[in-house]
Amino acid sequence: GCPRAEAIMSCDFITEYAKTGRSKCQATKELIEKGEVRIGKVTPSPFDPDSTMCKWYSIEGFQTANARARKHKLESVDDLQGFDDLEEDDQDAVREAIEGGGGQ
């Protein structure tokens, strides 16, 4: 299929260090500090069918939101764009949040 169509139909996930301290976690509603790791869920923009928007989460907020998600779940860091650019400690924290599961 067309990669563009697939990108619009599915959700992509990205991670990066916050460029500013202005974004809020969609789950906790707390500000994500500049330089803090954030995970973004890229979805089609409701305002423009040809563009996307990103909903940002802190690691903790994303873990909660991802556990509750029925569809468009992130199952593996392999599907997380930007993961390889994180520091090793941050990779571990993100991997634990995504792949560590909620149970003991």
Side-chain angles (χ1 to χ4, degrees), residues 43-70:
T43 58
S45 170
F47 309 109
D48 179 357
D50 294 327
S51 68
T52 57
M53 57 184 261
C54 194
K55 294 182 175 178
W56 292 110
Y57 296 87
S58 64
I59 292 176
E60 296 78 14
F62 185 82
Q63 187 172 18
T64 302
N66 199 46
R68 289 186 186 148
R70 292 204 171 93

PDB file of all heavy atoms in Angstrom, residues 43-70:
ATOM      1  N   THR A  43      -0.958  12.014  15.030  1.00  0.00           N
ATOM      2  CA  THR A  43      -2.262  11.658  14.481  1.00  0.00           C
ATOM      3  C   THR A  43      -2.638  12.654  13.388  1.00  0.00           C
ATOM      4  O   THR A  43      -2.100  13.764  13.343  1.00  0.00           O
ATOM      5  CB  THR A  43      -3.340  11.686  15.582  1.00  0.00           C
ATOM      6  OG1 THR A  43      -3.386  12.992  16.161  1.00  0.00           O
ATOM      7  CG2 THR A  43      -3.056  10.668  16.670  1.00  0.00           C
ATOM      8  N   PRO A  44      -3.572  12.280  12.531  1.00  0.00           N
ATOM      9  CA  PRO A  44      -4.021  13.233  11.514  1.00  0.00           C
ATOM     10  C   PRO A  44      -4.624  14.469  12.176  1.00  0.00           C
ATOM     11  O   PRO A  44      -5.328  14.361  13.174  1.00  0.00           O
ATOM     12  CB  PRO A  44      -5.090  12.451  10.743  1.00  0.00           C
ATOM     13  CG  PRO A  44      -4.810  11.015  11.028  1.00  0.00           C
ATOM     14  CD  PRO A  44      -4.209  10.980  12.403  1.00  0.00           C
ATOM     15  N   SER A  45      -4.336  15.621  11.622  1.00  0.00           N
ATOM     16  CA  SER A  45      -4.881  16.853  12.171  1.00  0.00           C
ATOM     17  C   SER A  45      -6.370  16.953  11.862  1.00  0.00           C
ATOM     18  O   SER A  45      -6.781  16.722  10.728  1.00  0.00           O
ATOM     19  CB  SER A  45      -4.167  18.059  11.567  1.00  0.00           C
ATOM     20  OG  SER A  45      -4.837  19.248  11.926  1.00  0.00           O
ATOM     21  N   PRO A  46      -7.182  17.310  12.866  1.00  0.00           N
ATOM     22  CA  PRO A  46      -8.616  17.481  12.589  1.00  0.00           C
ATOM     23  C   PRO A  46      -8.880  18.750  11.766  1.00  0.00           C
ATOM     24  O   PRO A  46      -9.957  18.924  11.222  1.00  0.00           O
ATOM     25  CB  PRO A  46      -9.236  17.587  13.984  1.00  0.00           C
ATOM     26  CG  PRO A  46      -8.129  18.006  14.879  1.00  0.00           C
ATOM     27  CD  PRO A  46      -6.851  17.499  14.270  1.00  0.00           C
ATOM     28  N   PHE A  47      -7.889  19.623  11.679  1.00  0.00           N
ATOM     29  CA  PHE A  47      -8.071  20.901  10.993  1.00  0.00           C
ATOM     30  C   PHE A  47      -7.631  20.857   9.539  1.00  0.00           C
ATOM     31  O   PHE A  47      -8.077  21.649   8.728  1.00  0.00           O
ATOM     32  CB  PHE A  47      -7.297  22.005  11.722  1.00  0.00           C
ATOM     33  CG  PHE A  47      -7.595  22.033  13.194  1.00  0.00           C
ATOM     34  CD1 PHE A  47      -6.630  21.632  14.105  1.00  0.00           C
ATOM     35  CD2 PHE A  47      -8.832  22.419  13.672  1.00  0.00           C
ATOM     36  CE1 PHE A  47      -6.899  21.633  15.464  1.00  0.00           C
ATOM     37  CE2 PHE A  47      -9.107  22.425  15.018  1.00  0.00           C
ATOM     38  CZ  PHE A  47      -8.138  22.034  15.922  1.00  0.00           C
ATOM     39  N   ASP A  48      -6.710  19.937   9.215  1.00  0.00           N
ATOM     40  CA  ASP A  48      -6.153  19.877   7.872  1.00  0.00           C
ATOM     41  C   ASP A  48      -5.886  18.415   7.523  1.00  0.00           C
ATOM     42  O   ASP A  48      -5.024  17.783   8.129  1.00  0.00           O
ATOM     43  CB  ASP A  48      -4.853  20.690   7.809  1.00  0.00           C
ATOM     44  CG  ASP A  48      -4.211  20.650   6.435  1.00  0.00           C
ATOM     45  OD1 ASP A  48      -4.730  19.952   5.530  1.00  0.00           O
ATOM     46  OD2 ASP A  48      -3.179  21.316   6.263  1.00  0.00           O
ATOM     47  N   PRO A  49      -6.627  17.860   6.556  1.00  0.00           N
ATOM     48  CA  PRO A  49      -6.477  16.433   6.247  1.00  0.00           C
ATOM     49  C   PRO A  49      -5.093  16.055   5.726  1.00  0.00           C
ATOM     50  O   PRO A  49      -4.731  14.880   5.752  1.00  0.00           O
ATOM     51  CB  PRO A  49      -7.546  16.183   5.173  1.00  0.00           C
ATOM     52  CG  PRO A  49      -7.915  17.532   4.655  1.00  0.00           C
ATOM     53  CD  PRO A  49      -7.640  18.513   5.751  1.00  0.00           C
ATOM     54  N   ASP A  50      -4.315  17.038   5.272  1.00  0.00           N
ATOM     55  CA  ASP A  50      -2.993  16.730   4.721  1.00  0.00           C
ATOM     56  C   ASP A  50      -1.872  16.877   5.732  1.00  0.00           C
ATOM     57  O   ASP A  50      -0.709  16.708   5.392  1.00  0.00           O
ATOM     58  CB  ASP A  50      -2.699  17.642   3.517  1.00  0.00           C
ATOM     59  CG  ASP A  50      -3.637  17.344   2.359  1.00  0.00           C
ATOM     60  OD1 ASP A  50      -4.025  16.169   2.196  1.00  0.00           O
ATOM     61  OD2 ASP A  50      -3.995  18.286   1.635  1.00  0.00           O
ATOM     62  N   SER A  51      -2.205  17.237   6.958  1.00  0.00           N
ATOM     63  CA  SER A  51      -1.140  17.411   7.936  1.00  0.00           C
ATOM     64  C   SER A  51      -1.421  16.589   9.189  1.00  0.00           C
ATOM     65  O   SER A  51      -2.500  16.034   9.358  1.00  0.00           O
ATOM     66  CB  SER A  51      -0.956  18.888   8.289  1.00  0.00           C
ATOM     67  OG  SER A  51      -2.075  19.363   8.988  1.00  0.00           O
ATOM     68  N   THR A  52      -0.407  16.534  10.034  1.00  0.00           N
ATOM     69  CA  THR A  52      -0.533  15.760  11.267  1.00  0.00           C
ATOM     70  C   THR A  52      -0.325  16.680  12.461  1.00  0.00           C
ATOM     71  O   THR A  52       0.165  17.801  12.327  1.00  0.00           O
ATOM     72  CB  THR A  52       0.526  14.642  11.312  1.00  0.00           C
ATOM     73  OG1 THR A  52       1.812  15.235  11.178  1.00  0.00           O
ATOM     74  CG2 THR A  52       0.304  13.627  10.207  1.00  0.00           C
ATOM     75  N   MET A  53      -0.705  16.184  13.608  1.00  0.00           N
ATOM     76  CA  MET A  53      -0.433  16.885  14.858  1.00  0.00           C
ATOM     77  C   MET A  53       0.153  15.875  15.828  1.00  0.00           C
ATOM     78  O   MET A  53       0.061  14.670  15.616  1.00  0.00           O
ATOM     79  CB  MET A  53      -1.693  17.515  15.421  1.00  0.00           C
ATOM     80  CG  MET A  53      -2.818  16.541  15.670  1.00  0.00           C
ATOM     81  SD  MET A  53      -4.320  17.341  16.215  1.00  0.00           S
ATOM     82  CE  MET A  53      -4.186  17.067  17.965  1.00  0.00           C
ATOM     83  N   CYS A  54       0.782  16.382  16.867  1.00  0.00           N
ATOM     84  CA  CYS A  54       1.428  15.495  17.822  1.00  0.00           C
ATOM     85  C   CYS A  54       0.909  15.780  19.224  1.00  0.00           C
ATOM     86  O   CYS A  54       0.859  16.930  19.644  1.00  0.00           O
ATOM     87  CB  CYS A  54       2.939  15.704  17.760  1.00  0.00           C
ATOM     88  SG  CYS A  54       3.822  14.396  18.593  1.00  0.00           S
ATOM     89  N   LYS A  55       0.490  14.737  19.893  1.00  0.00           N
ATOM     90  CA  LYS A  55       0.080  14.844  21.294  1.00  0.00           C
ATOM     91  C   LYS A  55       1.238  14.334  22.129  1.00  0.00           C
ATOM     92  O   LYS A  55       1.649  13.182  21.988  1.00  0.00           O
ATOM     93  CB  LYS A  55      -1.174  14.014  21.548  1.00  0.00           C
ATOM     94  CG  LYS A  55      -2.390  14.542  20.816  1.00  0.00           C
ATOM     95  CD  LYS A  55      -3.616  13.720  21.136  1.00  0.00           C
ATOM     96  CE  LYS A  55      -4.838  14.338  20.480  1.00  0.00           C
ATOM     97  NZ  LYS A  55      -6.043  13.550  20.736  1.00  0.00           N
ATOM     98  N   TRP A  56       1.737  15.174  23.012  1.00  0.00           N
ATOM     99  CA  TRP A  56       2.931  14.833  23.794  1.00  0.00           C
ATOM    100  C   TRP A  56       2.563  14.255  25.154  1.00  0.00           C
ATOM    101  O   TRP A  56       1.559  14.639  25.756  1.00  0.00           O
ATOM    102  CB  TRP A  56       3.800  16.071  23.999  1.00  0.00           C
ATOM    103  CG  TRP A  56       4.421  16.550  22.727  1.00  0.00           C
ATOM    104  CD1 TRP A  56       4.110  17.694  22.048  1.00  0.00           C
ATOM    105  CD2 TRP A  56       5.447  15.910  21.967  1.00  0.00           C
ATOM    106  NE1 TRP A  56       4.881  17.781  20.911  1.00  0.00           N
ATOM    107  CE2 TRP A  56       5.710  16.705  20.843  1.00  0.00           C
ATOM    108  CE3 TRP A  56       6.162  14.722  22.138  1.00  0.00           C
ATOM    109  CZ2 TRP A  56       6.666  16.365  19.886  1.00  0.00           C
ATOM    110  CZ3 TRP A  56       7.107  14.374  21.194  1.00  0.00           C
ATOM    111  CH2 TRP A  56       7.362  15.188  20.084  1.00  0.00           C
ATOM    112  N   TYR A  57       3.411  13.351  25.606  1.00  0.00           N
ATOM    113  CA  TYR A  57       3.254  12.717  26.918  1.00  0.00           C
ATOM    114  C   TYR A  57       4.599  12.668  27.622  1.00  0.00           C
ATOM    115  O   TYR A  57       5.631  12.472  26.980  1.00  0.00           O
ATOM    116  CB  TYR A  57       2.768  11.266  26.773  1.00  0.00           C
ATOM    117  CG  TYR A  57       1.406  11.110  26.165  1.00  0.00           C
ATOM    118  CD1 TYR A  57       1.247  11.047  24.791  1.00  0.00           C
ATOM    119  CD2 TYR A  57       0.271  11.016  26.965  1.00  0.00           C
ATOM    120  CE1 TYR A  57      -0.013  10.901  24.220  1.00  0.00           C
ATOM    121  CE2 TYR A  57      -0.984  10.864  26.408  1.00  0.00           C
ATOM    122  CZ  TYR A  57      -1.123  10.815  25.035  1.00  0.00           C
ATOM    123  OH  TYR A  57      -2.364  10.661  24.471  1.00  0.00           O
ATOM    124  N   SER A  58       4.561  12.781  28.940  1.00  0.00           N
ATOM    125  CA  SER A  58       5.742  12.423  29.728  1.00  0.00           C
ATOM    126  C   SER A  58       5.855  10.903  29.687  1.00  0.00           C
ATOM    127  O   SER A  58       4.912  10.210  29.285  1.00  0.00           O
ATOM    128  CB  SER A  58       5.573  12.890  31.179  1.00  0.00           C
ATOM    129  OG  SER A  58       4.491  12.205  31.791  1.00  0.00           O
ATOM    130  N   ILE A  59       6.976  10.372  30.119  1.00  0.00           N
ATOM    131  CA  ILE A  59       7.135   8.907  30.116  1.00  0.00           C
ATOM    132  C   ILE A  59       6.054   8.259  30.980  1.00  0.00           C
ATOM    133  O   ILE A  59       5.399   7.305  30.565  1.00  0.00           O
ATOM    134  CB  ILE A  59       8.547   8.501  30.608  1.00  0.00           C
ATOM    135  CG1 ILE A  59       9.605   8.945  29.594  1.00  0.00           C
ATOM    136  CG2 ILE A  59       8.623   6.990  30.821  1.00  0.00           C
ATOM    137  CD1 ILE A  59      11.035   8.683  30.033  1.00  0.00           C
ATOM    138  N   GLU A  60       5.832   8.806  32.175  1.00  0.00           N
ATOM    139  CA  GLU A  60       4.844   8.221  33.086  1.00  0.00           C
ATOM    140  C   GLU A  60       3.439   8.341  32.503  1.00  0.00           C
ATOM    141  O   GLU A  60       2.638   7.411  32.572  1.00  0.00           O
ATOM    142  CB  GLU A  60       4.895   8.907  34.458  1.00  0.00           C
ATOM    143  CG  GLU A  60       6.195   8.713  35.200  1.00  0.00           C
ATOM    144  CD  GLU A  60       7.331   9.619  34.699  1.00  0.00           C
ATOM    145  OE1 GLU A  60       7.061  10.584  33.949  1.00  0.00           O
ATOM    146  OE2 GLU A  60       8.488   9.343  35.041  1.00  0.00           O
ATOM    147  N   GLY A  61       3.134   9.507  31.953  1.00  0.00           N
ATOM    148  CA  GLY A  61       1.814   9.722  31.367  1.00  0.00           C
ATOM    149  C   GLY A  61       1.563   8.808  30.183  1.00  0.00           C
ATOM    150  O   GLY A  61       0.464   8.276  30.003  1.00  0.00           O
ATOM    151  N   PHE A  62       2.612   8.611  29.379  1.00  0.00           N
ATOM    152  CA  PHE A  62       2.453   7.747  28.212  1.00  0.00           C
ATOM    153  C   PHE A  62       2.219   6.307  28.640  1.00  0.00           C
ATOM    154  O   PHE A  62       1.416   5.603  28.042  1.00  0.00           O
ATOM    155  CB  PHE A  62       3.683   7.823  27.295  1.00  0.00           C
ATOM    156  CG  PHE A  62       3.489   7.044  26.031  1.00  0.00           C
ATOM    157  CD1 PHE A  62       2.793   7.599  24.974  1.00  0.00           C
ATOM    158  CD2 PHE A  62       3.957   5.748  25.910  1.00  0.00           C
ATOM    159  CE1 PHE A  62       2.572   6.868  23.813  1.00  0.00           C
ATOM    160  CE2 PHE A  62       3.749   5.010  24.763  1.00  0.00           C
ATOM    161  CZ  PHE A  62       3.053   5.579  23.705  1.00  0.00           C
ATOM    162  N   GLN A  63       2.907   5.883  29.672  1.00  0.00           N
ATOM    163  CA  GLN A  63       2.742   4.508  30.158  1.00  0.00           C
ATOM    164  C   GLN A  63       1.282   4.254  30.525  1.00  0.00           C
ATOM    165  O   GLN A  63       0.700   3.236  30.158  1.00  0.00           O
ATOM    166  CB  GLN A  63       3.648   4.271  31.361  1.00  0.00           C
ATOM    167  CG  GLN A  63       3.678   2.836  31.819  1.00  0.00           C
ATOM    168  CD  GLN A  63       4.742   2.599  32.889  1.00  0.00           C
ATOM    169  OE1 GLN A  63       5.236   3.524  33.517  1.00  0.00           O
ATOM    170  NE2 GLN A  63       5.098   1.346  33.082  1.00  0.00           N
ATOM    171  N   THR A  64       0.673   5.202  31.218  1.00  0.00           N
ATOM    172  CA  THR A  64      -0.735   5.089  31.607  1.00  0.00           C
ATOM    173  C   THR A  64      -1.645   5.105  30.391  1.00  0.00           C
ATOM    174  O   THR A  64      -2.524   4.258  30.237  1.00  0.00           O
ATOM    175  CB  THR A  64      -1.112   6.252  32.545  1.00  0.00           C
ATOM    176  OG1 THR A  64      -0.253   6.226  33.677  1.00  0.00           O
ATOM    177  CG2 THR A  64      -2.556   6.149  33.005  1.00  0.00           C
ATOM    178  N   ALA A  65      -1.418   6.079  29.504  1.00  0.00           N
ATOM    179  CA  ALA A  65      -2.274   6.223  28.324  1.00  0.00           C
ATOM    180  C   ALA A  65      -2.143   5.014  27.400  1.00  0.00           C
ATOM    181  O   ALA A  65      -3.133   4.533  26.843  1.00  0.00           O
ATOM    182  CB  ALA A  65      -1.918   7.505  27.580  1.00  0.00           C
ATOM    183  N   ASN A  66      -0.934   4.529  27.232  1.00  0.00           N
ATOM    184  CA  ASN A  66      -0.699   3.391  26.341  1.00  0.00           C
ATOM    185  C   ASN A  66      -1.344   2.124  26.892  1.00  0.00           C
ATOM    186  O   ASN A  66      -1.885   1.321  26.146  1.00  0.00           O
ATOM    187  CB  ASN A  66       0.805   3.194  26.142  1.00  0.00           C
ATOM    188  CG  ASN A  66       1.145   2.369  24.905  1.00  0.00           C
ATOM    189  OD1 ASN A  66       0.592   2.592  23.827  1.00  0.00           O
ATOM    190  ND2 ASN A  66       2.061   1.439  25.054  1.00  0.00           N
ATOM    191  N   ALA A  67      -1.314   1.964  28.214  1.00  0.00           N
ATOM    192  CA  ALA A  67      -1.930   0.788  28.841  1.00  0.00           C
ATOM    193  C   ALA A  67      -3.443   0.797  28.644  1.00  0.00           C
ATOM    194  O   ALA A  67      -4.073  -0.248  28.506  1.00  0.00           O
ATOM    195  CB  ALA A  67      -1.592   0.746  30.331  1.00  0.00           C
ATOM    196  N   ARG A  68      -4.033   2.007  28.601  1.00  0.00           N
ATOM    197  CA  ARG A  68      -5.483   2.125  28.449  1.00  0.00           C
ATOM    198  C   ARG A  68      -5.934   2.054  26.994  1.00  0.00           C
ATOM    199  O   ARG A  68      -7.118   1.838  26.730  1.00  0.00           O
ATOM    200  CB  ARG A  68      -5.957   3.458  29.022  1.00  0.00           C
ATOM    201  CG  ARG A  68      -5.887   3.527  30.518  1.00  0.00           C
ATOM    202  CD  ARG A  68      -6.519   4.816  30.988  1.00  0.00           C
ATOM    203  NE  ARG A  68      -6.332   4.982  32.416  1.00  0.00           N
ATOM    204  CZ  ARG A  68      -6.189   6.144  33.016  1.00  0.00           C
ATOM    205  NH1 ARG A  68      -6.199   7.263  32.313  1.00  0.00           N
ATOM    206  NH2 ARG A  68      -6.042   6.219  34.311  1.00  0.00           N
ATOM    207  N   ALA A  69      -5.022   2.305  26.069  1.00  0.00           N
ATOM    208  CA  ALA A  69      -5.392   2.395  24.655  1.00  0.00           C
ATOM    209  C   ALA A  69      -5.939   1.067  24.151  1.00  0.00           C
ATOM    210  O   ALA A  69      -5.392   0.012  24.449  1.00  0.00           O
ATOM    211  CB  ALA A  69      -4.187   2.818  23.822  1.00  0.00           C
ATOM    212  N   ARG A  70      -7.025   1.146  23.402  1.00  0.00           N
ATOM    213  CA  ARG A  70      -7.594  -0.067  22.818  1.00  0.00           C
ATOM    214  C   ARG A  70      -7.014  -0.327  21.441  1.00  0.00           C
ATOM    215  O   ARG A  70      -6.853  -1.455  21.034  1.00  0.00           O
ATOM    216  CB  ARG A  70      -9.112   0.076  22.718  1.00  0.00           C
ATOM    217  CG  ARG A  70      -9.770   0.098  24.074  1.00  0.00           C
ATOM    218  CD  ARG A  70     -11.219  -0.343  23.970  1.00  0.00           C
ATOM    219  NE  ARG A  70     -11.774  -0.529  25.296  1.00  0.00           N
ATOM    220  CZ  ARG A  70     -12.430   0.417  25.948  1.00  0.00           C
ATOM    221  NH1 ARG A  70     -12.610   1.593  25.399  1.00  0.00           N
ATOM    222  NH2 ARG A  70     -12.915   0.171  27.145  1.00  0.00           N
TER     223      ARG A  70
END
